[in-house]
Amino acid sequence: MNQSVENKYKKLIVAVSIVIPLVVALLFGVNLQKLGYDVEPLHQLPPIYATINGVTALVLVLAVLAIKNGKKTLHENLMKVAIICSLAFLVMYVAYHMTSVSAKFGDLNHDGVLDEIEKMTVGNVRYLYYFILVTHISLSVVIIPFVLFTYVSAVSFSFDRHKKLAKITFPIWLYVAITGVVVYVMISPYYIK
């Protein structure tokens, strides 16, 4: 029975895991201002969604501690909060990028071009930033099916499978949440206010 519940959701999870990154990529490329719409840039969102990433990381750690201490209901509730936080992040992230010009790391004068002086000013830190950013984005795509399969295995009472998946899901999800904060802290001086 447990396996049949998981199989029932398998196609849906695969579809959602493909559709979400595609829709985000498509919407990321849509800037309403550039299309001529009179929209207010949502400059207030990056610190909010960075904070949500931080909250997600904290909630994930608390959820692991809860289950290790036998507090199953608390664990379930915390995991639901972590999923809701991740969805809220995603919505705000897309909304920000649809209404605002993306910041470039090192672009001190906010002209959208990283000139040689700006490159020299930030130096090799740029490479660290891009490494963290690329791994953050890549793993944020990878984590979607892991979170969904881990969640379905729990609600279908396949706890052995749930534990195996959670051992993979937890560190990746935690990395994505923490690096979301790190990316924000590193890029924040270059946001257009």
Side-chain angles (χ1 to χ4, degrees), residues 76-93:
E76 289 174 23
N77 291 334
L78 288 169
M79 292 312 302
K80 288 174 187 173
V81 169
I83 290 170
I84 290 167
C85 284
S86 292
L87 288 171
F89 163 81
L90 186 61
V91 169
M92 285 186 236
Y93 178 80

Side-chain angles (χ1 to χ4, degrees), residues 80-139:
K80 288 174 187 173
V81 169
I83 290 170
I84 290 167
C85 284
S86 292
L87 288 171
F89 163 81
L90 186 61
V91 169
M92 285 186 236
Y93 178 80
V94 169
Y96 169 75
H97 284 284
M98 287 182 70
T99 62
S100 308
V101 176
S102 294
K104 289 192 182 209
F105 187 80
D107 185 16
L108 291 168
N109 62 5
H110 308 294
D111 66 355
V113 178
L114 201 60
D115 62 36
E116 289 306 313
I117 294 171
E118 289 170 326
K119 284 180 184 177
M120 286 176 26
T121 302
V122 294
N124 289 333
V125 174
R126 255 181 50 231
Y127 301 110
L128 175 62
Y129 169 77
Y130 286 118
F131 173 80
I132 295 169
L133 179 65
V134 167
T135 59
H136 169 78
I137 292 170
S138 301
L139 290 173

Side-chain angles (χ1 to χ4, degrees), residues 15-104:
V16 166
S17 299
I18 293 168
V19 168
I20 288 176
L22 287 176
V23 169
V24 170
L26 287 171
L27 292 176
F28 190 84
V30 173
N31 187 291
L32 297 174
Q33 287 182 342
K34 289 180 181 176
L35 291 174
Y37 293 97
D38 186 26
V39 293
E40 189 69 29
L42 299 173
H43 295 301
Q44 71 276 16
L45 288 182
I48 296 169
Y49 62 66
T51 301
I52 288 173
N53 266 325
V55 168
T56 302
L58 178 63
V59 168
L60 288 171
V61 170
L62 292 174
V64 168
L65 293 174
I67 200 65
K68 287 185 183 248
N69 288 310
K71 298 178 181 178
K72 184 180 172 203
T73 302
L74 178 60
H75 172 76
E76 289 174 23
N77 291 334
L78 288 169
M79 292 312 302
K80 288 174 187 173
V81 169
I83 290 170
I84 290 167
C85 284
S86 292
L87 288 171
F89 163 81
L90 186 61
V91 169
M92 285 186 236
Y93 178 80
V94 169
Y96 169 75
H97 284 284
M98 287 182 70
T99 62
S100 308
V101 176
S102 294
K104 289 192 182 209

